[in-house]
Amino acid sequence: MRFIEEVVVDEFLPTYRSMLAEALRERGLTQSEVADLLGISQSAVSKYVHGEVERNDRLLAHRGLTELVDRIAEGLSDGEMSSVQALVETEVFVRELEQGGVLARLHEEAVPGLADHDGEFAVHDPDSKLRAAERTLSSVRRGLRVLENTSGFATLIPAVGSNLVQALPDAGGIDDVAAVPGRILDVKGRATIPGEPEFGVSEHVASVVLAARAAGSPARAALNVRYDESVVESLDAAGHTAVEFDAEAALEPAIADVLADGEADVVYQTGGMGVEPVVYLLGPDAVTVAEWARDIL
């Protein structure tokens, strides 16, 4: 059994990243600059550029992918395109390839009986619940990779640990929120992630994003980091709207109260009796909130 998301990870990502890394290096960017733009390590960039990863020939020959890589490389190198814009364009392109494009064909080849399946559920239907769940898990995985590759992220981890979560579009409870089992911990100065993301394994941070959504926030993802006045100031300086909530009050109503106007994307509390101070980043997806944390370091 193989999901189409595995085809994306195993076939598309290595090919796409290697093509983009090459295109950026050809435009004069250093390995360090390419690593920062792609959210990967310099050693990974070196492997991509020197052909040390296996690439899919059909994707390499895909005209649309070649044009996308050239457009994104040009935009990133001259500063006309942000990393977020590049991510959005790539995500849209991947969805198109999954819906009857080359990725759908590669998936059908990997699962021969899939092309002949005539049930009510269409595997390549982008609106199916299964696809929504896989996309959510994939988003959390990519967000975790951003955190793993962010130098200094361990300094933002509170004593109780961090968690990165993302809810399904129609989430009704904790079981509809994907997160890290356990917590992301600071182990000798490195962010240590105990396992692959799953649904229903976070109570605290999942409750925060659910409370935010219940209050009218469009956020689907959250990340908790340690509280420090300088952290909040850095987030303010980066254009975020931060509001404080009462650490002594019950979590859900306290967050719902401060998010009543729906404008804040950062909520924090400064501690209380037996309560560690903490900051929560609230965003549209796990990758975005992970990048917000990266950008304030």
Side-chain angles (χ1 to χ4, degrees):
M1 182 169 60
R2 194 180 192 202
F3 294 102
I4 192 169
E5 285 74 18
E6 293 178 83
V7 176
V8 174
V9 171
D10 297 339
E11 304 290 346
F12 180 84
L13 279 181
T15 304
Y16 172 70
R17 280 180 170 159
S18 65
M19 292 171 70
L20 186 53
E22 286 178 352
L24 289 169
R25 289 288 281 143
E26 289 171 358
R27 286 165 172 79
L29 276 71
T30 65
Q31 281 193 183
S32 176
E33 290 170 331
V34 174
D36 288 341
L37 285 172
L38 301 187
I40 58 178
S41 66
Q42 290 191 49
S43 60
V45 173
S46 179
K47 289 180 180 179
Y48 286 136
V49 172
H50 291 94
E52 297 176 18
V53 295
E54 187 173 347
R55 307 199 294 186
N56 184 285
D57 290 337
R58 284 158 70 179
L59 288 168
L60 284 172
H62 194 284
R63 181 177 177 180
L65 180 57
T66 301
E67 292 175 349
L68 176 71
V69 167
D70 286 341
R71 183 169 67 256
I72 288 179
E74 194 66 30
L76 291 175
S77 61
D78 63 17
E80 293 298 316
M81 179 182 291
S82 69
S83 294
V84 172
Q85 289 174 300
L87 174 64
V88 170
E89 286 206 28
T90 305
E91 288 279 10
V92 170
F93 186 76
V94 170
R95 299 293 86 78
E96 291 173 351
L97 295 188
E98 289 178 344
Q99 298 167 37
V102 64
L103 290 179
R105 292 194 294 275
L106 288 171
H107 189 212
E108 289 171 354
E109 290 169 10
V111 187
L114 191 60
D116 299 324
H117 177 68
D118 58 359
E120 294 181 2
F121 175 75
V123 172
H124 297 142
D125 175 7
D127 297 322
S128 73
K129 290 183 178 180
L130 178 60
R131 293 297 309 284
E134 286 302 318
R135 286 198 299 270
T136 299
L137 287 169
S138 176
S139 179
V140 177
R141 291 188 194 102
R142 287 184 285 117
L144 291 171
R145 285 200 293 271
V146 171
L147 298 181
E148 283 184 303
N149 288 301
T150 295
S151 176
F153 174 70
T155 65
L156 289 179
I157 299 176
V160 296
S162 291
N163 210 328
L164 178 65
V165 311
Q166 182 170 321
L168 291 171
D170 57 353
I174 290 172
D175 287 341
D176 296 325
V177 182
V180 174
R183 298 289 177 90
I184 304 170
L185 299 174
D186 174 3
V187 179
K188 297 182 179 180
R190 289 185 59 85
T192 301
I193 298 168
E196 287 291 299
E198 303 173 27
F199 283 97
V201 294
S202 170
E203 292 187 12
H204 187 75
V205 184
S207 295
V208 171
V209 75
L210 290 171
R213 289 176 62 78
S217 169
R220 283 181 54 200
L223 169 68
N224 66 312
V225 298
R226 68 174 176 82
Y227 168 78
D228 186 275
E229 187 176 347
S230 63
V231 171
V232 175
E233 289 175 350
S234 295
L235 289 165
D236 281 332
H240 298 285
T241 301
V243 293
E244 182 178 358
F245 67 94
D246 185 359
E248 302 292 345
L251 180 66
E252 287 85 353
I255 289 179
D257 182 54
V258 298
L259 291 178
D261 60 8
E263 294 182 1
D265 55 7
V266 175
V267 295
Y268 68 95
Q269 49 88 356
T270 58
M273 184 66 68
V275 179
E276 182 182 9
V278 67
V279 177
Y280 298 97
L281 312 182
L282 302 170
D285 56 68
V287 176
T288 298
V289 294
E291 290 174 342
W292 289 350
R294 178 192 66 192
D295 293 345
I296 66 172
L297 288 169

